[in-house]
Amino acid sequence: MTYKVESVFPDSIDDLPFISDVDIPNKDIMINIQNYIDQGDYDNASKLCNTSNITTINSDYFNMVQNRIYSLQEYLNTLEKCDRINSSTEEPSSPTDGMAWIDD
């Protein structure tokens, strides 16, 4: 399985990959993939993974996660910082700079 590595956030929502264990119908495919890996034939193992419904955790997956985290961080850094707001029925003993108190 291949993943869309580049994030589209914040312009859109990234697709959510579905990850599950290998099921009975795909067991033979997984055995073939493992045989390729055991023989050191990683090219054919990768090709078989990419053309099947087998979910793989590979470098594309980790790059996808990393790029989504970076996109979120970049977006959060563009937001304007806001003042902290506390809601309380008790009056504070001393006001704190940069805080707004709201009565219920």
Side-chain angles (χ1 to χ4, degrees), residues 2-10 12-19 60-76:
T2 57
Y3 298 96
K4 184 177 177 185
V5 175
E6 295 301 319
S7 176
V8 295
F9 184 81
S12 184
I13 302 296
D14 290 309
D15 292 333
L16 179 65
F18 178 75
I19 298 174
D60 282 349
Y61 176 80
F62 290 113
N63 288 332
M64 176 197 66
V65 172
Q66 184 180 34
N67 287 337
R68 289 180 181 190
I69 291 169
Y70 286 155
S71 294
L72 179 59
Q73 286 175 332
E74 287 177 14
Y75 173 74
L76 292 175

Side-chain angles (χ1 to χ4, degrees), residues 50-97:
N50 291 336
T51 59
S52 69
N53 290 330
I54 302 290
T55 303
T56 57
I57 305 297
N58 55 21
S59 60
D60 282 349
Y61 176 80
F62 290 113
N63 288 332
M64 176 197 66
V65 172
Q66 184 180 34
N67 287 337
R68 289 180 181 190
I69 291 169
Y70 286 155
S71 294
L72 179 59
Q73 286 175 332
E74 287 177 14
Y75 173 74
L76 292 175
N77 284 331
T78 65
L79 297 179
E80 189 175 317
K81 291 187 178 183
C82 60
D83 293 331
R84 292 177 56 192
I85 297 176
N86 287 331
S87 176
S88 175
T89 56
E90 298 178 16
E91 191 71 25
S93 57
S94 64
T96 306
D97 287 340

Side-chain angles (χ1 to χ4, degrees), residues 17-28:
F18 178 75
I19 298 174
S20 68
D21 290 333
V22 177
D23 55 6
I24 298 285
N26 291 314
K27 180 182 172 207
D28 290 335

